[in-house]
Amino acid sequence: MQRCHADICPRHFQVRLSEYRRHRSRVLIASSLTMLGGSVALALVASAIAAGAPGVQGKGSPSRTRSAPPPAFTYDRQSFLLHGEPYTIIGGQMDPQRIPYPYWRDRLAKARAMGLNTIFSYIFWNNLEPSRGDWRSDDPQNDVGKYFRIAQEEGLNVVLRPGPYICGEHEWGGFPAWLSNIPGMVVRTDNEPFLQEAARYVDNLARRSGLADLQASRGGPILMVQVENEYGSFDDNHNYTAALRDILRRHFDVPLYTNDGGVDWTLEGGEIPFVLAEVDGGSWALPARDEYVTDPTELGPLLDGEYYTWAPDQWGSYNPHNTTAGNAADVSGIVDDIAFHLGNASASISFYMVHGGTNFGFQNGALWQNRTTAFTSSYDYGAPLDETGRTTDLYFQMRNAILPFVPNGSVPAPPDNLPRAEIPPFSLRPVLSLFDAYETRKTADAPLTMEALGQSYGFTLYEHTAKAAMTGNVTAGDRPRDRVIVYVNGKAMGIMDSQYQHPLNVSVSLRPGDKLQLLVENLGRVDYYSRGNPYRNYVQDPWKGIKGDVTVGGVVVRGWVMSTMQLDALPARVSSGKACVGRVAGDAPLFYRGSFTGPDVTHNSTMTLDTFVAVPHGIKGNVWVNGFHLGRYWLVGPQQSLYLPGCVVKPGEENEVVVLELEPWQMGKESMVAYGTADRVWGNNPDPDCLKCV
Ligand SMILES: *[C@@H]1O[C@H](CO)[C@@H](O)[C@H](O)[C@H]1NC(C)=O
Ligand SMILES: *[C@@H]1O[C@H](CO)[C@@H](O)[C@H](O)[C@H]1NC(C)=O
Ligand SMILES: *[C@@H]1O[C@H](CO)[C@@H](O)[C@H](O)[C@H]1NC(C)=O
Ligand SMILES: *[C@@H]1O[C@H](CO)[C@@H](O)[C@H](O)[C@H]1NC(C)=O
Ligand SMILES: *[C@@H]1O[C@H](CO)[C@@H](O)[C@H](O)[C@H]1NC(C)=O
Ligand SMILES: *[C@@H]1O[C@H](CO)[C@@H](O)[C@H](O)[C@H]1NC(C)=O
Ligand SMILES: *[C@@H]1O[C@H](CO)[C@@H](O)[C@H](O)[C@H]1NC(C)=O
Ligand SMILES: *[C@@H]1O[C@H](CO)[C@@H](O)[C@H](O)[C@H]1NC(C)=O
């Protein structure tokens, strides 16, 4: 999805939000809807698909012949048809790769118990193929086929949203960072290198991850497959989207659909011949589909493909947590909209999100708006199922709004929420400097980007030993990408942070032999731009680290040693117990290690061990528990604690907690404290590195 509620895409947003605020005058919508009508020439659609999309035999596509049984899932002009019967999709978005896999069934069962009959899911290519050719469908967290089989067992159908670009506030919209190293690559276009990689990805997903066999046409739960994602917000290259349609058609014979914002230019940019066009964003958007899409091969029943249950969070001292909790008007707006979609408009709907989950590790995305706006590790979203999968007030309000539209007694009762654990405060001791934890080291005259160093996420340390005296402000390539801590001989001199429109200038004075060190953190690659936004091309500018030359006082600095720290796994020395912080001089980031005894299981569920880990004196950093990377913390908020899934915790045993604190000089280095809290608190603080920055 994209955040068009906010300041992300001015043109799109203006239309949407003003409409949305005024929308509840739905007269206009209702009258447009009555104009939908007539029956569609299904045979025309079917033969056109067969002609226009190579490899399709018509099986399962929107076609019906006189003798054959109806395809498992298809549609006519008015209705989706499941086994020949009209079917309203009551859907919700939930992405398997954002949910700890042992909890997939719990979350799916609860989505079903809210009254949903369908789950919509993005697939994150970067997680499935972390390096080119290394397809990880056997990693249980990436076994998306298993997740869809569980969905089916729990009584849910599936709408597959494979991208390959998915947006979703996820690292580079789901693209693997290594794509940027392929010569000639331009993503989201009909660029040959991109189409080749996209075809390989779809082929792997269909065959090696087994998703082709999970289509409704073969007895599986997958009803439809989305082509690209809100592409019309980005561009209007129909050659590209037609090529992507054909790539998907090689493997998927169920209906394909597009999903675009509800204005003329998004729908016209995103529509693809022979692909069902749908809108998203709320009830106000529904009439736009039939107003702006006229090709009969793209028309069918209406689906609001992303009805926002609320919004994601972004780091920042002035960004409160987005939630409907405590705002009855927001909740009743959602409740009214459910009745409107399912009742007055006879439309299908998908709630984005029914359960957001977590951007574990370094998996959050970001925006570029003259500054980096990074999404938090929590993807709670204010959704009806919270980040830990517990039902909320919004869940029950939405459930009550859905029940009148489904057969009495057809929706299971939701299970009670299990309690979360409290973990008393425990201390952590410094064990290793991040500067001693590099994975690869390379020297070059000019700095190389993270990607050129073969690194996708995490931190890169750039070190230069001065041969001559140099004085003045430091620049790190074309701009900080994204957060640069500047050190001289291990002493922190300041931070150049692209999260601020005007990153601070850091001045250094080097004598021959002094070591200049720039530690660069990738805060998450840009996942979204809108046409009409002057920064739209940044989704095609994924480079992290340092791109261009470093200067000091305007003089180009040559001769660099570059150390990569992707931290897929913790450095062995962090856990070995042999590391000694006595070696650590200066202000370098430190790994701290501590442990707690896992609470005893009081219910027969690892979920009772769920907790939120807080690092009360921490400034900015990352947390691992038993080697599982929970994500980032930053005292500016709004996120103040990290979700620790109970399935990671060992009850009754010692559990190792590792904290990487990036700014130990701000907080006294000797020790840290952490604890687990059953009830999360959101909040904001000023940034001690940039008190006046906004
Ligand atoms: C929706 O339908 C209900 C019941 O028919 C009606 O009372 C209401 O006015 C309709 N709302 C709109 C916006 O059309
Ligand atoms: C699309 O393809 C056609 C035929 O090859 C070509 O004439 C046209 O310029 C292409 N359009 C774009 C936007 O690339
Ligand atoms: C969510 O939070 C961001 C940052 O504070 C804000 O700009 C946006 O308007 C919020 N969205 C909603 C729907 O409240
Ligand atoms: C972004 O920054 C550039 C250069 O500083 C400036 O010209 C432009 O007006 C800024 N745009 C916005 C939207 O802030
Ligand atoms: C469902 O049950 C309610 C209350 O028992 C009843 O009023 C309603 O008519 C029933 N609806 C259907 C579709 O059976
Ligand atoms: C950094 O220095 C440049 C060049 O003098 C200046 O334009 C800019 O305002 C400075 N930035 C800050 C945050 O002071
Ligand atoms: C260096 O940064 C300082 C602080 O922002 C600024 O006042 C000064 O103008 C900068 N110097 C140059 C030469 O850009
Ligand atoms: C916990 O649940 C599992 C699976 O439902 C069952 O096999 C096991 O016996 C249960 N354990 C206890 C202590 O109830």
Side-chain angles (χ1 to χ4, degrees), residues 309-310 322-328 330-331 334 381-382 394:
T309 57
W310 216 237
N322 278 314
T323 177
T324 59
N327 191 332
D330 290 340
V331 174
I334 293 174
Y381 214 89
L394 179 62

Side-chain angles (χ1 to χ4, degrees), residues 441-478:
R441 191 164 257 195
K442 188 166 179 149
T443 59
D445 208 30
L448 298 169
T449 61
M450 255 190 202
E451 295 77 11
L453 291 165
Q455 183 182 356
S456 298
Y457 319 113
F459 307 86
T460 309
L461 177 64
Y462 294 81
E463 295 179 294
H464 166 80
T465 304
K467 289 163 207 84
M470 273 187 284
T471 298
N473 293 346
V474 178
T475 64
D478 57 354

Side-chain angles (χ1 to χ4, degrees), residues 369-370 501 534-535:
Q369 302 162 304
N370 257 11
Q501 182 127 2
Y535 312 112

Side-chain angles (χ1 to χ4, degrees), residues 594-676:
S595 69
F596 66 90
T597 305
D600 283 329
V601 182
T602 52
H603 293 71
N604 187 9
S605 164
T606 57
M607 272 186 74
T608 58
L609 300 172
D610 284 354
T611 188
F612 297 104
V613 175
V615 187
H617 307 303
I619 308 292
K620 189 177 192 312
N622 296 69
V623 179
W624 289 257
V625 175
N626 296 329
F628 182 90
H629 189 174
L630 303 185
R632 301 177 219 248
Y633 64 87
W634 192 17
L635 89 169
V636 299
Q639 183 175 357
Q640 295 293 342
S641 55
L642 292 102
Y643 173 40
L644 168 55
C647 54
V648 170
V649 177
K650 295 180 275 186
E653 293 177 43
E654 285 304 288
N655 290 269
E656 181 194 67
V657 178
V658 172
V659 171
L660 170 63
E661 170 55 54
L662 296 170
E663 301 176 36
W665 74 89
Q666 299 265 29
M667 40 152 280
K669 296 174 202 169
E670 295 72 27
S671 72
M672 289 193 88
V673 171
Y675 62 89

Side-chain angles (χ1 to χ4, degrees), residues 334-657:
I334 293 174
V335 164
D336 291 352
D337 280 342
I338 291 173
F340 182 81
H341 280 78
L342 299 178
N344 309 49
S346 299
S348 287
I349 191 168
S350 176
F351 304 109
Y352 192 104
M353 306 287 296
V354 63
H355 172 49
T358 311
N359 298 311
F360 288 113
F362 294 121
Q363 291 303 303
N364 65 281
L367 305 177
W368 176 259
Q369 302 162 304
N370 257 11
R371 61 192 185 92
T372 299
T373 307
F375 294 101
T376 56
S377 294
S378 169
Y379 200 62
D380 176 85
Y381 214 89
L385 288 172
D386 72 15
E387 189 180 358
T388 72
R390 267 69 176 177
T391 56
T392 63
D393 176 60
L394 179 62
Y395 176 95
F396 290 99
Q397 302 267 4
M398 290 176 68
R399 184 175 191 271
N400 289 340
I402 292 168
L403 288 183
F405 298 98
V406 299
N408 277 354
S410 67
V411 174
D416 287 341
N417 281 339
L418 295 173
R420 286 181 291 247
E422 297 277 350
I423 297 165
F426 55 95
S427 64
L428 302 98
R429 298 276 165 204
V431 287
L432 188 70
S433 160
L434 179 65
F435 289 3
D436 291 333
Y438 61 87
E439 291 147 13
T440 69
R441 191 164 257 195
K442 188 166 179 149
T443 59
D445 208 30
L448 298 169
T449 61
M450 255 190 202
E451 295 77 11
L453 291 165
Q455 183 182 356
S456 298
Y457 319 113
F459 307 86
T460 309
L461 177 64
Y462 294 81
E463 295 179 294
H464 166 80
T465 304
K467 289 163 207 84
M470 273 187 284
T471 298
N473 293 346
V474 178
T475 64
D478 57 354
R479 60 185 170 90
R481 291 173 178 252
D482 303 303
R483 193 169 194 271
V484 185
I485 309 183
V486 179
Y487 307 80
V488 175
N489 300 328
K491 175 153 183 45
M493 309 303 291
I495 299 182
M496 304 189 292
D497 188 341
S498 69
Q499 289 171 101
Y500 299 113
Q501 182 127 2
H502 303 289
L504 292 179
N505 292 315
V506 177
S507 166
V508 298
S509 186
L510 302 174
R511 292 154 304 171
D514 281 349
K515 195 183 262 187
L516 173 67
Q517 296 156 307
L518 307 180
L519 180 72
V520 188
E521 177 178 5
N522 167 0
L523 293 168
R525 289 186 180 77
V526 164
D527 73 276
Y528 174 64
Y529 278 95
S530 155
R531 276 204 284 165
N533 180 315
Y535 312 112
R536 121 180 211 287
N537 287 333
Y538 277 87
V539 81
Q540 292 170 332
D541 177 3
W543 291 280
K544 297 301 183 189
I546 295 178
K547 187 167 191 288
D549 284 320
V550 172
T551 63
V552 172
V555 177
V556 171
V557 180
R558 294 279 177 212
W560 292 94
V561 179
M562 291 158 286
S563 304
T564 64
M565 298 134 177
Q566 177 156 312
L567 303 177
D568 284 343
L570 281 171
R573 280 187 292 161
V574 167
S575 301
S576 67
K578 293 195 188 103
C580 172
V581 80
R583 288 187 55 233
V584 176
D587 300 335
L590 292 175
F591 289 99
Y592 292 75
R593 193 181 71 225
S595 69
F596 66 90
T597 305
D600 283 329
V601 182
T602 52
H603 293 71
N604 187 9
S605 164
T606 57
M607 272 186 74
T608 58
L609 300 172
D610 284 354
T611 188
F612 297 104
V613 175
V615 187
H617 307 303
I619 308 292
K620 189 177 192 312
N622 296 69
V623 179
W624 289 257
V625 175
N626 296 329
F628 182 90
H629 189 174
L630 303 185
R632 301 177 219 248
Y633 64 87
W634 192 17
L635 89 169
V636 299
Q639 183 175 357
Q640 295 293 342
S641 55
L642 292 102
Y643 173 40
L644 168 55
C647 54
V648 170
V649 177
K650 295 180 275 186
E653 293 177 43
E654 285 304 288
N655 290 269
E656 181 194 67
V657 178

